[in-house]
Amino acid sequence: MVTYSPELTLSTSLLKSPLFQTVTEALGKVPIVRLNRIHPSCQHHHLYLKLESCNPGGSIKEKNAAYLVNEAEKQGLLQAGGTIVESSSGNFGIGLAIVGAIKGYRVMIVIDAKTPVTMRRMLTAYGAELVEVPLSAADAQGSMQVARMTKAQELAINIPGSWYPCQHKNPSNTDAHELWTAREIEAAFGGAPDAIVIGVSTAGQLGGISRYFKKYYPQTRIIGVDVAGSAIFGTPRHPYKMTGLGLSFVPPNFDPQVLDAAYSVDDGLAFSVCHALAKQEGMLLGASTGAIVAAALADVQRFTQPQTMLLLNPDRGDRYLETVYNADWLTAQNIHILPSSDLMTAISQLSPVSLDLVQSQVSC
C-alpha cells in the first residue's frame, strides 16, 4: 500500500488537465522552474527557467509558426492546398511542419550542412520536405543563413500558391510573444520579475517581450544573449557551432534600445552549462539555453540585493543528442566541457558587451 505525504505528492497532481482541440491550442502552457544547484548564486537570487521546451513540438518557435500561419490565412497569403516555404536550422521549421500537418499544407524547409541529423529526422517525421543548400554557398565565416534565405525565396517565387514567412525579416515575428509569452510571464509573477533574459536569434522573442514589458513594467531589465561569432552585437565575427542563436546579419526586428545588458557567450561555455543543467538540475535543454543561463548567472552576480530573473528556455535537448551531448562530436569540434570549478570561473569572467558597440552596429 502506498502512503502519501506532502513531500511525495506532486504539487500539480490534483490540477485538472485542460482539454484542447489541437496541439496549437496547448502552446505556452508550460512550467516555470527555479534553478537551485547549478551555481551558488541560486541560493541568494531567484532564477526561473520558462520551459518553452515543454511545448508540444519542443520549442518556443511553434508560437511564431501558429501565429504567422493564422495571419497569412487572414490576409489571403496562404490558402487551402498551399505550400509553406521557410529557411530554418530546425525549430521554426518544426513549428511550421506541425501547423502544416494540422491544416493540410505542404511544407518545404531549406536547411544546410549544420542542420543536425536529429532535426532533419524530426522535420521529415512531421511531413516536411527538406531542401539542402550546399556548403559551397557559405559566406567567409561559414554561415549559410543568407544562402538558405535566398533559396527559400527562389522556391516561393517558383512554386504556385506558396508562402514564405521569412522569420528573419518578418515584422510580425514579434507579435506572438507580445500577445502570448509576455503575458504568460506577467501572469506567472503577478506582475514582472526584476529581469528577463532572452536569446536574440531573429529577435522575435526579444522584440515582442521587451515591447510589452517596456510599456507596462519599464523597471524590468531586458538582457539579450547571443553566441560569440555572430554579427548581431558587433563583436568579432568567426565560425561557431551553435544553432538557435547567431546570425550573419543584424535582423530587422532587433532594437538595441530595449536592452539593459547584452552578453556574447562562446560555444564551450554554453555547452558546458547545458551539461551542468542536465546533471545538477535534471533538465536536458537546448544549446541556446546554455548561453542564456550563463549570461543570467554572470549578470546576477552584479547585484547584492536578491534578484528575481526569468530566463527563456527556447527548446529541449533531445534534438542535440548527436552534437552538444555527444562526446565524440565535441572532441571533433575541439570543444571541451568544463568541470564545475572551471565553469564557475568562466561564468564569473563573462562580461557584458558594451551597449554602445551594440547600438553602433545597428546604426551602421
Side-chain angles (χ1 to χ4, degrees):
M1 180 177 179
V2 177
T3 301
Y4 290 97
S5 70
E7 291 76 22
L8 295 177
T9 303
L10 290 173
S11 61
T12 57
S13 61
L14 299 180
L15 295 178
K16 179 182 177 181
S17 295
L19 303 178
F20 300 112
Q21 298 304 309
T22 67
V23 294
T24 55
E25 292 182 8
L27 296 177
K29 314 301 190 296
V30 304
I32 299 176
V33 179
R34 181 172 176 171
L35 298 180
N36 296 292
R37 300 185 60 237
I38 191 170
H39 193 277
S41 293
C42 296
Q43 303 308 309
H44 181 60
H45 301 287
H46 312 285
L47 276 64
Y48 290 90
L49 265 176
K50 189 173 193 298
L51 295 177
E52 297 288 346
S53 54
C54 292
N55 280 305
S59 91
I60 195 170
K61 290 293 187 77
E62 294 152 51
K63 291 180 178 179
N64 305 62
Y67 180 84
L68 291 175
V69 168
N70 286 340
E71 290 301 301
E73 290 173 336
K74 291 177 184 177
Q75 297 168 28
L77 301 174
L78 186 60
Q79 299 178 0
T83 300
I84 301 171
V85 179
E86 182 58 290
S87 162
S88 172
S89 60
N91 284 328
F92 188 56
I94 289 170
L96 289 172
I98 289 171
V99 177
I102 294 168
K103 293 176 174 281
Y105 294 120
R106 179 189 184 190
V107 177
M108 301 180 70
I109 304 300
V110 180
I111 61 169
D112 62 58
K114 284 178 63 177
T115 306
V117 172
T118 305
M119 289 285 198
R120 296 166 185 250
R121 290 174 179 166
M122 292 180 71
L123 284 163
T124 55
Y126 284 115
E129 302 171 35
L130 306 185
V131 178
E132 184 164 352
V133 174
L135 280 174
S136 58
D139 68 15
Q141 282 74 36
S143 174
M144 302 290 293
Q145 285 150 350
V146 172
R148 284 202 328 250
M149 293 165 65
T150 301
K151 182 63 177 178
Q153 186 173 24
E154 174 190 319
L155 290 170
I157 291 172
N158 292 312
I159 297 174
S162 64
W163 169 67
Y164 173 30
C166 191
Q167 62 165 328
H168 300 87
K169 296 184 178 182
N170 193 325
S172 298
N173 200 31
T174 61
D175 295 349
H177 301 294
E178 182 177 14
L179 180 66
W180 295 326
T181 313
R183 298 182 189 194
E184 292 158 11
I185 296 170
E186 178 186 42
F189 287 92
D194 295 309
I196 303 175
V197 189
I198 310 168
V200 178
S201 184
T202 63
Q205 299 153 45
L206 177 66
I209 293 170
S210 64
R211 190 159 62 222
Y212 188 86
F213 278 88
K214 289 300 181 183
K215 180 177 180 180
Y216 296 106
Y217 303 96
Q219 75 280 5
T220 295
R221 293 182 298 114
I222 302 296
I223 301 169
V225 184
D226 199 15
V227 62
S230 169
I232 299 174
F233 288 163
T235 52
R237 290 285 312 281
H238 60 73
Y240 52 86
K241 299 301 177 182
M242 179 83 68
T243 57
L245 286 183
L247 287 176
S248 59
F249 57 93
V250 179
N253 282 325
F254 177 56
D255 177 8
Q257 300 298 328
V258 305
L259 293 180
D260 296 286
Y263 286 85
S264 179
V265 182
D266 66 42
D267 288 327
L269 177 54
F271 297 172
S272 294
V273 172
C274 285
H275 282 252
L277 284 168
K279 291 181 173 64
Q280 297 179 44
E281 301 287 353
M283 291 184 279
L284 190 73
L285 303 175
S288 60
T289 302
I292 290 163
V293 172
L297 290 170
D299 191 80
V300 82
Q301 292 180 80
R302 301 160 56 195
F303 298 87
T304 55
Q305 292 298 314
Q307 298 289 296
T308 298
M309 303 178 78
L310 184 284
L311 288 56
L312 205 61
N313 153 236
D315 66 354
R316 63 188 184 218
D318 55 359
R319 55 202 67 191
Y320 302 96
L321 292 177
E322 298 302 320
T323 54
V324 176
Y325 297 102
N326 181 344
D328 293 336
W329 182 86
L330 291 168
T331 299
Q333 308 305 321
N334 198 31
I335 297 174
H336 306 284
I337 300 303
L338 300 173
S340 181
S341 59
D342 292 344
L343 181 58
M344 297 302 104
T345 299
I347 289 171
S348 67
Q349 293 176 345
L350 183 61
S351 299
V353 177
S354 164
L355 292 181
D356 288 339
L357 175 62
V358 178
Q359 291 166 6
S360 66
Q361 171 72 359
V362 173
S363 63
C364 291

